[in-house]
Amino acid sequence: AAAGLVFQFRDARWLPDPVLGPSPAVRTPQPVPLVIDNGSFQARAGWACSDPEVPGEPLLRFRSLAARSRGARGGAGTETQVGNDLGSPEPLRWLLRSPFDRNVPVQLELQELLFDHIFQRLGVSSQGCVDHPIVLTEAVCNPLYSRQMMSELLFECYQVPKVSYGVDSMYSFHHNTRQDWPCNSLIVSSGYQCTHVLPVLEGRLDAKNCKRINLGGCQAAVYLQRLLQLKYPGHFAAITLSRMEEILHEHSYIAEDYIEELQKWRSPEYYESNVHKMQLPFSSKLLGTTLTSEEKQERRQQQLRRLQELNARRREEKLQLDQERLDRLLYVQELLEDGQMDQFHKGLVELNMDSAEELQSYIHKLSLAIEQTKQKILQAEVSIEVDVVDSKPETLDLDPLGSEQSLEDVESIHEFEPLFAEEQPDVEKPVTTVEPVFNLAEYHQLFLGTERIRVPEILFQPSLIGEEQAGIAETMQYVLDRYPKEQQALLVQNVFLTGGNTMYPGLKARIQKELLEMRPFQSSFQVHLASNPILDAWYGARDWALEYVNHEEGWITRKDYEEKGGEYLKEHCASNVFVPIRLPKQAPRTTETLAPSKVLAASIGNPCDLA
Amino acid sequence: MNENKFMTMDPNTGPMEAAIKPLPFKDPNFIHSGIGGAAAGKKNRTWKNLKQILASERALPWQLNDPSYFNIEAPPSFKPAKKYSDISGLPANYTDPQSKLRFSSIEEFAYIRMLPSDVVTGYLALRKATSIVP
């Protein structure tokens, strides 16, 4: 067998963020802005300070996740872990929660936890408030409600002096261009949850012509996970989202010409030399299973035994019921044979049947069913191990506890059925004979062939996962078509790619090919990739903060918040467009209200009245 | 120094904060500490999810050309979707009538016919092609 390219998973653990003690320069002569790139994948936070003692890069980078493990009942003793404190996302995967729904924060309690984490670890030391101006990223065309809640959190809970909201891709764009003359660009920004096509004219976002495709790194990871789980059902649990992310980051690429690239993969030689084999960890003790602890296997066997018993019990009960019913039918049939017509007809009516033929066919069917059940019982009895018979008396469900248990078992049957089919032959085969050609290491490898290009391709062909939206290329064309030809030509001179999900090798070449196909013959275009697609948004936000910290432009002060409401936005070169619609100030759920509650969403123009 | 967040409402400091159904901020005396008691002791309030937020945003008085989260959604594709094999991802010319999976070669077909039904359903669900079960 070819040596091939075998790779290990790094399965890296996250290191907890230390509590930093920032240099006094962040507070003197005045508190410097705190820059937070609040992404649905990762939060990045740091200072915007020109003092060389203060690092000019994000000091905190952590996944935007929190897990609340409930302690005692009643909420007391809930332990919350945020970001890197989680260590590894996999054991807690089902408990992990994110404040984001797609790319918009909606669960502000969780957002509060993330902010708490940021402020604490950065070493914010002001009393009673967070004394620093905050620069925060928000979604393109962020819903007003979401901004309202975010502003409320920042101004009311943390009492910040002023806030500036901007779009991450715009910050990245400005960081990469950084010229004073107005610039035009078509930004393609692909993140964790969405991909945006953003036309920029004269350095400002032309928001009404933006388009958003609801696909990003998250959907790619889930797609890859499902593909591999279907291909390797035996390794279901080992195919975790974290490992999928590793594969996407390091083993995937985007084909310049998808069909052509697929044809290359058809050839066995190409496959052999380009397949990436991901080695799953395994232990040579247990043959044929992916479990590495014997306890787990024990429990599995126990559960299987319980299931077998349950099935056997159900079959016997069914057999008994069927037998009784058959007896009743036969009795009625005998009445016919004996010539007792009246009684026979009465019997038929009781059985809800119309004729002797129907009775006969029923008897026939029922007899067959009984035969089958008997057969199954015999088969099951043969394959049940001796242990099961011994433990049988324990499982008689005469008490409610036992019946509860059997209910669980019924549900777990469905979970175990595919495994059941797998396990049974293993149990019967003698374990001692190991076939000489069986390579245990290879059994625990995931072969990545066309998956390497198939998964990132969903950005260009969302139909691969059944999404109706157009892909990046078609959306770019759609956006360009909304402009007159002269402006189209301007926009394509600077197609700018940013965002973590644009880091696939080969993306730039692919975009260039797509542009070549959609642009007029012999027209020109240029594609640029951000210097650091992941962090440039943070760096751009920091640049902006340093430049504008003492200006009025772009900052929402506390006074603005109180007068104009939480949904208010002060525009600047990297911000969304503000649509001045007033939202009603939401009424508290509790009875304590000082402001009258406004329930109608359509009430506009009401000044924010405060107690 | 870090002190705990206070839970009490203090109407004297600042405006009455708006507690939207989900919002529990009753701590105008926020003094930062990482491990606060703010999480404990509140009722189970559900936040609006994005769908609900967008539904109420739509009701606002937008002008025709105003950009909003929901109207910058990319339109559906105008081009017909290309068909690829569910197993290998290669261009697929054939579809198995029994399971509706697409395949590109005889070996794949044999493989498909051996698959258990949950794997078949899994592949169909992956491209949202599961049949509507009555």
Side-chain angles (χ1 to χ4, degrees):
Chain A
L5 303 150
V6 181
F7 301 89
Q8 307 285 333
F9 281 110
R10 272 180 289 109
D11 285 341
R13 273 188 75 79
W14 300 334
L15 300 169
D17 301 310
V19 176
L20 301 167
S23 106
V26 305
R27 292 201 59 79
T28 51
Q30 56 170 15
V32 299
L34 217 160
V35 178
I36 304 176
D37 177 6
N38 191 32
S40 58
F41 179 69
Q42 201 182 56
R44 298 138 192 152
W47 304 106
C49 182
S50 42
D51 189 310
E53 268 189 29
V54 181
E57 63 249 349
L59 296 172
L60 284 181
R61 289 178 62 179
F62 57 92
R63 292 292 304 270
S64 310
L65 299 166
R68 261 200 267 233
S69 29
R70 278 171 237 290
R73 261 197 157 273
T78 41
E79 204 191 275
T80 321
Q81 291 169 308
V82 175
N84 289 328
D85 291 351
L86 292 164
S88 156
E90 289 316 320
L92 295 166
R93 181 55 76 175
W94 302 115
L95 289 177
L96 290 177
R97 297 169 67 204
S98 162
F100 285 88
D101 186 344
R102 206 184 284 156
N103 61 337
V104 176
V106 300
Q107 297 249 4
L108 275 283
E109 285 163 12
L110 295 171
Q111 184 71 61
E112 190 183 331
L113 290 175
L114 297 191
F115 280 147
D116 286 349
H117 186 86
I118 291 176
F119 297 145
Q120 191 218 16
R121 300 299 158 102
L122 280 182
V124 169
S125 53
S126 45
Q127 303 285 317
C129 64
V130 172
D131 214 7
H132 303 264
I134 303 282
V135 177
L136 189 67
T137 52
E138 62 173 13
V140 175
C141 299
N142 195 20
L144 294 167
Y145 182 81
S146 166
R147 190 181 304 125
Q148 182 187 51
M149 291 201 295
M150 186 65 79
S151 288
E152 188 185 279
L153 176 60
L154 289 171
F155 285 112
E156 310 267 359
C157 184
Y158 298 105
Q159 312 276 327
V160 302
K162 57 186 186 181
V163 175
S164 176
Y165 293 113
V167 175
D168 54 1
S169 13
M170 294 296 294
Y171 286 130
S172 171
F173 171 69
H174 284 292
H175 180 71
N176 279 275
T177 49
R178 233 188 303 182
Q179 269 116 0
D180 287 323
W181 42 272
C183 34
N184 308 303
S185 171
L186 190 67
I187 301 180
V188 176
S189 165
S190 189
Y192 190 53
Q193 292 282 352
C194 332
T195 300
H196 287 91
V197 177
L198 307 172
V200 174
L201 292 173
E202 315 266 301
R204 299 299 278 256
L205 185 64
D206 187 16
K208 62 182 183 301
N209 287 319
C210 294
K211 284 298 164 199
R212 178 190 67 250
I213 307 169
N214 297 323
L215 289 178
C218 180
Q219 288 76 17
V222 171
Y223 182 47
L224 181 61
Q225 186 185 41
R226 299 219 175 110
L227 276 179
L228 292 179
Q229 282 174 337
L230 289 169
K231 193 159 139 181
Y232 302 100
H235 298 304
F236 194 88
I239 298 173
T240 64
L241 276 178
S242 305
R243 288 179 175 157
M244 298 303 99
E245 281 167 19
E246 251 192 74
I247 294 177
L248 284 176
H249 295 173
E250 297 173 34
H251 301 277
S252 311
Y253 64 100
I254 289 190
E256 190 176 328
D257 183 329
Y258 191 58
I259 300 289
E260 207 181 283
E261 193 73 21
L262 283 178
Q263 300 293 40
K264 285 194 215 165
W265 278 97
R266 272 187 194 275
S267 102
E269 297 83 35
Y270 189 85
Y271 182 87
E272 277 306 313
S273 49
N274 288 289
V275 66
H276 283 206
K277 304 180 188 176
M278 303 301 305
Q279 183 67 57
L280 290 171
F282 65 95
S283 143
S284 44
K285 275 195 289 178
L286 304 161
L287 187 69
T289 65
T290 56
L291 300 173
T292 50
S293 75
E294 287 190 355
E295 277 178 32
K296 278 192 210 166
Q297 207 198 17
E298 259 300 299
R299 206 171 16 118
R300 270 269 217 95
Q301 283 179 348
Q302 256 180 27
Q303 280 168 322
L304 282 168
R305 268 184 242 132
R306 254 194 285 144
L307 284 172
Q308 282 170 336
E309 292 157 32
L310 188 71
N311 281 337
R313 213 189 317 139
R314 271 152 93 239
R315 276 191 217 111
E316 284 183 8
E317 286 172 3
K318 180 168 185 287
L319 183 64
Q320 205 183 5
L321 285 170
D322 285 345
Q323 195 74 57
E324 283 173 21
R325 191 163 163 76
L326 184 64
D327 289 338
R328 243 183 297 145
L329 295 179
L330 286 173
Y331 175 72
V332 174
Q333 198 179 49
E334 270 175 42
L335 290 174
L336 171 64
E337 287 165 13
D338 291 345
Q340 303 182 27
M341 296 310 295
D342 286 343
Q343 298 229 337
F344 172 69
H345 282 294
K346 212 165 65 157
L348 273 188
V349 166
E350 275 175 20
L351 290 175
N352 215 356
M353 292 188 209
D354 295 327
S355 67
E357 290 79 32
E358 200 180 334
L359 179 64
Q360 180 56 50
S361 76
Y362 241 99
I363 289 179
H364 186 66
K365 277 190 222 162
L366 205 50
S367 321
L368 280 176
I370 289 182
E371 271 311 303
Q372 277 184 349
T373 318
K374 281 189 185 154
Q375 285 286 341
K376 279 192 202 158
I377 291 185
L378 275 172
Q379 278 179 351
E381 276 176 18
V382 164
S383 61
I384 280 182
E385 294 162 5
V386 187
D387 304 23
V388 178
V389 179
D390 289 342
S391 60
K392 227 181 171 179
E394 293 172 6
T395 59
L396 284 176
D397 53 342
L398 294 174
D399 50 312
L401 197 59
S403 61
E404 260 179 50
Q405 205 183 37
S406 65
L407 194 62
E408 275 175 27
D409 285 340
V410 171
E411 285 167 26
S412 64
I413 279 177
H414 297 287
E415 185 203 338
F416 279 96
E417 236 171 49
L419 298 170
F420 198 73
E422 244 187 45
E423 289 291 325
Q424 266 218 319
D426 285 343
V427 167
E428 288 168 4
K429 259 193 254 170
V431 186
T432 45
T433 56
V434 180
E435 294 170 9
V437 296
F438 183 77
N439 184 346
L440 193 61
E442 235 184 58
Y443 174 72
H444 289 281
Q445 282 169 5
L446 306 173
F447 284 31
L448 302 173
T450 52
E451 287 83 1
R452 294 179 62 201
I453 46 168
R454 207 171 154 186
V455 180
E457 184 69 17
I458 62 174
L459 288 175
F460 290 92
Q461 299 187 58
S463 55
L464 283 171
I465 49 174
E467 289 293 328
E468 286 182 349
Q469 282 192 306
I472 290 184
E474 208 181 324
T475 305
M476 281 168 69
Q477 171 137 65
Y478 182 84
V479 169
L480 287 171
D481 285 343
R482 289 156 82 96
Y483 291 93
K485 289 207 165 24
E486 305 79 43
Q487 278 191 318
Q488 288 184 22
L490 283 178
L491 289 172
V492 296
Q493 293 313 313
N494 186 7
V495 175
F496 177 69
L497 308 177
T498 182
N501 203 39
T502 58
M503 289 181 64
Y504 295 112
L507 177 67
K508 184 171 167 185
R510 175 62 176 271
I511 299 259
Q512 284 172 327
K513 170 187 159 285
E514 299 284 354
L515 280 170
L516 191 62
E517 283 177 13
M518 69 170 91
R519 293 301 298 154
F521 182 59
Q522 289 187 337
S523 66
S524 68
F525 55 82
Q526 277 273 331
V527 179
H528 299 118
L529 195 49
S531 52
N532 185 333
I534 299 182
L535 293 181
D536 275 352
W538 190 89
Y539 289 125
R542 177 175 176 275
D543 295 340
W544 185 91
L546 285 176
E547 193 178 327
Y548 287 86
V549 60
N550 290 317
H551 295 210
E552 269 202 29
E553 180 184 350
W555 292 103
I556 302 161
T557 61
R558 197 195 167 82
K559 193 154 166 291
D560 290 328
Y561 165 73
E562 289 170 12
E563 285 171 10
K564 302 176 194 170
E567 65 275 15
Y568 178 62
L569 172 70
K570 264 273 198 54
E571 291 183 7
H572 56 86
C573 64
S575 77
N576 273 314
V577 166
F578 177 53
V579 181
I581 298 178
R582 284 308 304 270
L583 286 185
K585 203 150 160 58
Q586 310 292 329
R589 200 191 206 187
T590 60
T591 49
E592 301 153 294
T593 26
L594 292 179
S597 56
K598 292 167 200 153
V599 187
L600 300 170
S603 64
I604 38 162
N606 289 324
C608 180
D609 46 340
L610 310 157
Chain B
M1 289 282 102
N2 289 334
E3 294 167 50
N4 289 326
K5 277 196 238 179
F6 293 113
M7 287 293 294
T8 53
M9 290 221 332
D10 191 349
N12 295 326
T13 57
M16 171 69 185
E17 90 317 348
I20 312 181
K21 278 182 218 169
L23 273 181
F25 301 126
K26 296 185 190 333
D27 48 2
N29 293 344
F30 170 76
I31 295 177
H32 189 73
S33 152
I35 309 148
K42 58 179 193 325
K43 311 172 213 165
N44 250 351
R45 294 191 198 135
T46 41
W47 295 86
K48 279 197 196 179
N49 64 20
L50 185 62
K51 246 189 175 176
Q52 292 167 319
I53 293 178
L54 293 178
S56 45
E57 292 265 315
R58 270 180 217 269
L60 295 174
W62 299 96
Q63 304 292 325
L64 198 58
N65 268 338
D66 285 339
S68 69
Y69 189 89
F70 48 88
N71 71 15
I72 61 166
E73 187 109 348
S77 172
F78 286 103
K79 308 191 179 153
K82 295 217 165 68
K83 299 188 187 150
Y84 300 97
S85 159
D86 291 299
I87 311 297
S88 65
L90 299 170
N93 296 325
Y94 319 107
T95 308
D96 173 19
Q98 186 187 80
S99 59
K100 308 280 183 287
L101 291 178
R102 297 182 184 148
F103 59 96
S104 65
S105 70
I106 303 176
E107 297 80 24
E108 286 185 27
F109 180 68
Y111 180 74
I112 288 180
R113 277 296 161 95
M114 287 200 303
L115 289 175
S117 65
D118 55 339
V119 175
V120 169
T121 323
Y123 276 118
L124 290 173
L126 216 48
R127 56 179 167 90
K128 305 212 178 136
T130 43
S131 54
I132 307 159
V133 184

